[in-house]
């Protein structure tokens, strides 16, 4: 639809410019061949003056040059057309003779002509407007509202031509002539209607392309101005014909009111249409966004379900594998313990067995950690709360680490921050695992100084606090230390371990809370 509109408007521009050029050529031919029919149409009609025919020829060429992108030639034609119109208006306004009326042709047809060869004042005004329009179209003159300005000029030319032609149809002579001055010829009126249509078509085409709309928002203004111009011209004609009275004023008032209401109604309709389109676009965007979000949510849900299935399958596999590995490894450790008690072995053999036993214990720790983590992720681990004596529970752990810190030659301090309950209800095995993991990490990474283990009771909650003088943890590593198989620090500061202890500890604490 848009392509058809643009092509139609472009064709209109070329056609109207061509018709104007042909009109000028035909009438000029009539003047040179003394053919009164070509000059007057009918003997009683006003002749098209030679300069008028020349103006149509030049302005038509200007339109064709614009259509075919000959910008400089179009500007030249626009200047000539404007000059013909303005110089003639100067002659009328100031009552002077600039000797342009019969510069190229001595007139021999002077029907209803105030000055031989001088075009009508309304004709001169139309040529001035047409010349300006060509200069605007060729961008010799520019404004912020280029298309609107061109459209208004075209509408004024059409209005003046329509008024004059209507005067011929209704036999109102004053409609195509101002006072006793030279009248506008009938084919001159039609020529200006044609030129005005071409100018308006260009403005329409330019505005439609700029605004990406079939009907530019400003088209209502030239239309309303054209209606108002017609009203003024009719008022002038009736005033001159009737010599005053109420009718001319009624016609003028009705015409101006109609044109004003037309502009207001159309602008309100355009605003409503734009508002409706804006709402529609917003609704479409919202619907599209909602649909996209729904699709994203569905895809995320599917991905989550697949990830959970894969994670459970992985955890199940690891749990099974860890169990299968732990069984033969326990046999290996059992035999190394037996061999360690064998007094027939020399020191070298005992050292080798100790290495095997130590490596086996490390591997067993790794398998146990993997098994615990797999059970937690597969939701196969359950807390089994039982009642136990808290004091004995803590003392056993303290005794265990007292022996370990002696080997590292660091201190270990156990401190009760408040009175502790004697009996508690909790999963003793998992609580012991959490505390041992925390204390084990502290001892492992402390080379000098010591480790303190503090326990307090407040508001029916027991708080376990571990402090050490070890290497510490960098702030950027705080989020990583609870991830599986991750250890803080560099290769030099990392101790032996699987990197699973804190991850398991965190998950167990979350289950206990």
């Amino acid at each position: 639809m848009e392509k058809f509109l643009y092509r139609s408007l472009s064709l209109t521009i070329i056609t109207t410019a061509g018709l104007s050029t042909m009109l000028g050529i035909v009438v000029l031919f009539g003047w040179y061949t003394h053919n009164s029919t070509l000059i007057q149409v009918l003997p009683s009609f006003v002749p098209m003056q030679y300069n008028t025919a020349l103006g149509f020829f030049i302005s038509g060429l200007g339109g064709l040059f614009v259509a075919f992108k000959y910008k400089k030639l179009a500007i030249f034609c626009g200047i000539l057309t404007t000059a013909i119109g303005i110089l003639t208006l100067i002659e009328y306004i100031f009552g002077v003779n600039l000797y342009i009326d019969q510069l190229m042709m001595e007139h021999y047809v002077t029907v209803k002509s105030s000055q031989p060869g001088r075009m009508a004042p309304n004709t001169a005004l139309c040529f001035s407007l047409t010349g300006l329009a060509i200069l605007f179209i060729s961008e010799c003159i520019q404004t912020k509202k280029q298309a609107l300005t061109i459209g208004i000029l075209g509408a004024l030319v059409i209005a003046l031509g329509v008024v004059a032609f209507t005067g011929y149809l209704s036999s109102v002579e004053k409609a195509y002539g101002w006072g006793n001055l030279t009248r506008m010829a009938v084919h001159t009126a039609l020529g200006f209607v044609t030129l005005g249509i071409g100018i308006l078509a260009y403005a329409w085409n330019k505005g439609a392309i700029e605004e990406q709309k079939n009907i530019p928002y400003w088209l209502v203004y030239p239309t309303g101005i054209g209606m108002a111009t017609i009203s003024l011209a009719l008022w002038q004609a009736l005033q001159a014909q009737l010599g005053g009275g109420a009718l001319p004023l009624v016609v003028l008032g009705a015409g101006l009111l109609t044109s004003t209401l037309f502009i207001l109604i159309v602008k309100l309709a355009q605003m409503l249409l734009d508002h409706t389109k804006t709402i529609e676009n917003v609704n479409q965007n919202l619907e599209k966004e909602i649909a996209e979000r729904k699709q994203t949510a569905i895809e995320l849900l599917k991905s989550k379900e697949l990830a959970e299935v894969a994670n459970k399958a992985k955890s199940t596999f690891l749990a099974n594998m860890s169990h299968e590995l732990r069984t033969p490894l326990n046999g290996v450790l059992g035999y190394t313990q037996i061999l360690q008690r064998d007094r027939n072995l020399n020191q070298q053999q005992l050292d080798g067995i100790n290495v095997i036993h130590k490596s086996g214990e490390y591997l067993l720790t790794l398998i146990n950690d993997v098994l615990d983590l797999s059970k937690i992720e597969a939701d196969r681990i359950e807390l089994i709360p039982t009642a136990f004596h808290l004091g004995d529970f803590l003392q056993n752990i303290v005794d265990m680490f007292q022996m370990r810190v002696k080997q590292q030659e660091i201190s270990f301090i156990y401190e009760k921050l408040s009175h502790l309950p004697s009996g508690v209800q909790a999963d003793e095995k998992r609580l012991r695992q959490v505390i041992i993991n925390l204390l084990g990490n502290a001892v492992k990474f402390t080379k000098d100084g010591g480790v303190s283990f503090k326990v307090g009771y407040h508001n029916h909650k027991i708080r376990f606090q571990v402090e050490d003088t070890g290497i510490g943890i960098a702030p950027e590593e705080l989020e990583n230390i609870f991830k599986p198989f991750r250890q803080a620090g560099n290769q030099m500061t990392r101790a032996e371990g699987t990197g699973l202890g804190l991850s398991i500890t965190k998950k167990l604490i979350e289950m206990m809370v």
Side-chain angles (χ1 to χ4, degrees):
M1 180 63 184
E2 290 181 356
K3 289 183 179 180
F4 175 76
L5 176 65
Y6 297 153
R7 288 175 182 174
S8 300
L9 292 172
S10 299
L11 183 61
T12 301
I13 296 166
I14 296 172
T15 302
T16 54
L19 289 173
S20 176
T21 305
M22 289 301 300
L23 176 62
I25 292 173
V26 168
V27 178
L28 287 174
F29 178 77
W31 278 103
Y32 283 113
T33 59
H34 292 71
N35 189 327
S36 60
T37 302
L38 298 179
I39 299 171
Q40 293 177 269
V41 180
L42 294 175
S44 59
F45 283 2
V46 179
M48 181 188 291
Q49 307 297 336
Y50 182 92
N51 283 358
T52 303
L54 186 62
F56 277 118
F57 174 71
I58 296 172
S59 58
L61 282 179
L64 291 174
F65 288 142
V66 166
F68 293 104
K69 311 298 183 184
Y70 293 102
K71 185 176 179 180
K72 291 183 179 179
L73 292 175
I75 292 173
F76 178 71
C77 291
I79 292 172
L80 285 180
T81 305
T82 307
I84 291 172
I86 290 177
L87 290 174
T88 304
L89 287 174
I90 290 173
E91 288 184 321
Y92 278 116
I93 294 170
F94 297 103
V96 296
N97 185 2
L98 300 178
Y99 303 101
I100 62 171
D101 303 324
Q102 301 187 78
L103 181 63
M104 301 182 68
M105 170 67 67
E106 185 176 349
H107 281 230
Y108 50 85
V109 182
T110 58
V111 177
K112 298 180 182 179
S113 300
S114 59
Q115 296 288 334
R118 183 174 297 180
M119 67 179 69
N122 47 353
T123 301
L125 177 59
C126 285
F127 276 130
S128 300
L129 298 174
T130 301
L132 285 174
I134 294 172
L135 293 176
F136 276 108
I137 291 170
S138 56
E139 297 181 349
C140 178
I141 305 175
Q142 293 186 353
T143 63
K144 293 182 179 179
K145 303 289 185 179
Q146 195 84 348
L148 172 61
T149 304
I150 296 169
I152 290 173
L153 292 173
L156 290 173
V157 173
I158 292 173
L160 292 170
V162 168
V163 168
F165 187 71
T166 304
Y168 280 99
L169 293 178
S170 59
S171 300
V172 179
E173 185 177 335
K174 298 298 182 180
Y176 52 87
W178 294 353
N180 296 320
L181 303 176
T182 303
R183 274 51 168 162
M184 181 185 290
V186 63
H187 39 344
T188 300
L190 289 175
F192 283 127
V193 171
T194 303
L195 274 176
I197 289 172
I199 294 169
L200 191 59
Y202 178 88
W204 187 342
N205 188 54
K206 182 178 178 65
I209 293 173
E210 290 176 351
E211 298 177 28
Q212 296 295 308
K213 295 180 180 178
N214 290 338
I215 301 177
Y217 80 94
W218 52 261
L219 195 59
V220 61
Y221 295 118
T223 306
I225 290 171
M227 294 170 62
T229 305
I230 292 172
S231 300
L232 287 169
L234 288 175
W235 167 78
Q236 182 193 32
L238 291 172
Q239 188 80 2
Q241 193 80 10
L242 300 176
L247 181 59
L249 293 175
V250 171
V251 170
L252 176 62
L256 294 176
L257 181 61
T258 301
S259 58
T260 303
L261 288 175
F262 172 80
I263 293 174
L264 290 175
I265 291 171
V266 173
K267 285 306 297 179
L268 287 173
Q270 285 179 339
M271 291 172 61
L272 180 61
L273 183 61
D274 289 341
H275 186 64
T276 303
K277 286 184 177 179
T278 301
I279 294 174
E280 289 177 355
N281 290 334
V282 170
N283 289 337
Q284 289 176 358
N285 291 334
L286 286 175
E287 290 175 359
K288 184 179 179 181
E289 186 175 348
I290 291 170
E292 289 176 352
R293 289 191 177 184
K294 285 183 178 179
Q295 186 63 32
T296 302
I298 292 171
E299 291 176 357
L300 286 175
L301 183 60
K302 289 181 180 179
S303 300
K304 181 182 176 183
E305 291 174 352
L306 291 173
E308 289 176 350
V309 170
N311 191 47
K312 286 186 177 181
K314 176 206 71 175
S315 300
T316 302
F317 170 76
L318 288 175
N320 293 333
M321 286 299 298
S322 298
H323 178 75
E324 295 298 326
L325 289 171
R326 188 168 55 176
T327 301
L329 186 59
N330 283 329
V332 172
L333 291 173
Y335 275 107
T336 57
Q337 289 174 350
I338 294 173
L339 291 172
Q340 284 175 333
R341 298 189 186 98
D342 191 345
R343 297 183 178 181
N344 295 322
L345 299 177
N346 58 39
Q347 187 61 42
Q348 184 179 4
Q349 291 171 330
L350 283 173
D351 290 342
I353 290 171
N354 287 334
V355 170
I356 294 172
H357 187 77
K358 186 176 181 181
S359 299
E361 285 182 334
Y362 174 74
L363 185 58
L364 183 60
T365 302
L366 175 61
I367 291 171
N368 287 335
D369 286 345
V370 171
L371 182 60
D372 285 341
L373 183 65
S374 301
K375 284 181 178 179
I376 292 172
E377 290 183 345
D379 294 330
R380 290 175 57 182
I381 192 169
E382 293 182 4
L383 297 178
I384 305 174
T386 58
F388 60 91
H389 192 277
L390 181 62
D392 293 342
F393 170 81
L394 293 175
Q395 192 59 50
N396 288 336
I397 295 176
V398 170
D399 292 342
M400 180 193 308
F401 279 94
Q402 289 284 9
M403 295 179 62
R404 289 181 59 178
V405 297
K406 285 181 180 179
Q407 297 175 355
Q408 293 184 214
E409 298 182 353
I410 59 174
S411 65
F412 183 83
I413 300 173
Y414 169 52
E415 181 181 354
K416 295 180 182 179
L417 300 177
S418 63
H419 174 73
L420 301 178
S422 56
V424 294
Q425 183 87 6
D427 189 319
E428 183 180 0
K429 176 183 175 182
R430 297 303 174 186
L431 181 59
R432 180 185 291 107
Q433 184 178 359
V434 167
I435 296 174
I436 289 175
N437 276 343
L438 293 174
L439 288 172
N441 260 20
V443 171
K444 187 191 303 181
F445 289 98
T446 301
K447 303 302 181 185
D448 298 305
V451 176
S452 64
F453 177 42
K454 302 177 182 179
V455 184
Y457 180 71
H458 182 67
N459 290 337
H460 304 288
K461 291 183 180 179
I462 301 174
R463 177 185 175 87
F464 301 94
Q465 184 175 331
V466 178
E467 298 177 359
D468 64 70
T469 59
I471 59 175
I473 303 171
E476 60 270 15
E477 294 284 352
L478 289 176
E479 294 183 1
N480 296 326
I481 60 174
F482 295 106
K483 295 179 181 179
F485 305 104
R486 295 292 294 270
Q487 288 183 320
N490 53 39
Q491 295 292 337
M492 298 296 294
T493 59
R494 290 177 183 174
E496 290 184 359
T498 62
L500 291 174
L502 288 180
S503 177
I504 294 171
T505 299
K506 180 174 181 292
K507 292 181 183 295
L508 288 174
I509 291 174
E510 288 173 348
M511 292 176 65
M512 292 178 184
V513 174

